[in-house]
Amino acid sequence: GESVGLHLPTLSVQEGDNSIINCAYSNSASDYFIWYKQESGKGPQFIIDIRSNMDKRQGQRVTVLLNKTVKHLSLQIAATQPGDSAVYFCAENRMNTGFQKLVFGTGTRLLVSP
Amino acid sequence: DAGITQSPRHKVTETGTPVTLRCHQTENHRYMYWYRQDPGHGLRLIHYSYGVKDTDKGEVSDGYSVSRSKTEDFLLTLESATSSQTSVYFCAISGQGSNQPQHFGDGTRLSIL
């Protein structure tokens, strides 16, 4: 079936490195994508989103890239800090209506070493 | 942080008992959602609401019911809890438009023995 997935379940980086977390999606009709960060014992926290009419969007230390040709999404975190350690997952919206039918990936754990 | 409060934060109960989880928002958002999160699975939608008294089923709705009598409150009820419903439950809200991000509460950890 269709799914949103992540290639790497765990990513370990050194403090100060740049991190790249990848996500593949299968529905070419999806028009909206979101990255979330989830720390232990907390709910998912919105990081950044991107619409399908864009290829790139930047936030504070984060950049999301969307490649619709290969249905691939990535989250880049610049100068990764220990506080960035968490599970990151992407979500795609498969309905272009007021109601969001988000499909979530299972997540990648980012471990940042000092 | 989005004004979303889930209660209780933790609950342990026995198989066969009814359980109600509450989600309260202060953002006056139209859309509210209930998800469950289990190891090896992404967040899965249980039910959602698109207005007061307007609700619909998600992908894993069996064994769950919801109610929304006020904009700010969305209740999830397990009529007769089963061990397979042991999970972490998250409430989310979003504003008008399919391109508005959902914001989540901090969850309820529910254990059914």
Side-chain angles (χ1 to χ4, degrees):
Chain A
E2 294 180 328
S3 65
V4 174
L6 297 172
H7 300 303
L8 300 173
T10 303
L11 177 63
S12 297
V13 301
Q14 293 288 115
E15 181 177 2
D17 287 351
N18 296 331
S19 302
I20 300 176
I21 301 172
N22 297 302
C23 178
Y25 66 95
S26 57
N27 190 339
S28 58
S30 292
D31 59 357
Y32 179 58
F33 304 86
I34 310 173
W35 279 101
Y36 287 96
K37 171 186 180 183
Q38 188 174 21
E39 297 175 283
S40 181
K42 295 194 171 184
Q45 177 186 357
F46 169 78
I47 302 173
I48 192 168
D49 58 1
I50 188 168
R51 294 170 176 75
S52 58
N53 62 352
M54 303 171 68
D55 297 324
K56 179 180 180 179
R57 192 172 186 206
Q58 290 183 290
Q60 187 175 10
R61 283 201 306 117
V62 295
T63 300
V64 56
L65 298 178
L66 176 61
N67 185 332
K68 295 181 286 293
T69 302
V70 295
K71 296 197 282 289
H72 184 266
L73 194 67
S74 68
L75 176 71
Q76 300 178 0
I77 305 173
T80 314
Q81 303 167 0
D84 294 327
S85 294
V87 175
Y88 292 80
F89 52 90
C90 62
E92 63 176 303
N93 186 35
R94 295 184 178 180
M95 288 181 65
N96 188 24
T97 65
F99 162 62
Q100 283 186 355
K101 182 176 172 58
L102 290 181
V103 176
F104 295 85
T106 54
T108 289
R109 182 173 301 279
L110 177 65
L111 298 175
V112 183
S113 304
Chain B
D1 291 342
I4 307 168
T5 304
Q6 290 188 236
S7 58
R9 291 296 316 278
H10 303 272
K11 186 173 182 66
V12 180
T13 190
E14 295 183 347
T15 301
T17 60
V19 177
T20 296
L21 309 183
R22 180 181 184 238
C23 178
H24 178 79
Q25 60 144 330
T26 58
E27 306 297 318
N28 199 36
H29 280 342
R30 177 180 179 184
Y31 297 96
M32 298 186 75
Y33 312 79
W34 276 108
Y35 292 91
R36 61 179 290 173
Q37 187 176 45
D38 304 288
H41 295 273
L43 287 158
R44 292 182 290 174
L45 183 65
I46 305 171
H47 281 279
Y48 66 97
S49 170
Y50 46 96
V52 174
K53 297 185 180 179
D54 291 325
T55 65
D56 207 345
K57 297 178 179 179
E59 64 176 306
V60 290
S61 60
D62 287 349
Y64 302 95
S65 63
V66 290
S67 65
R68 192 169 178 199
S69 60
K70 298 184 290 185
T71 299
E72 57 266 35
D73 290 325
F74 193 31
L75 303 180
L76 176 71
T77 297
L78 290 64
E79 302 290 349
S80 178
T82 68
S83 58
S84 65
Q85 293 176 311
T86 292
S87 187
V88 182
Y89 291 85
F90 288 100
C91 173
I93 64 174
S94 67
Q96 184 70 35
S98 60
N99 291 344
Q100 296 296 318
Q102 290 182 25
H103 295 278
F104 288 81
D106 280 336
T108 294
R109 183 172 294 276
L110 178 63
S111 297
I112 300 165
L113 307 178

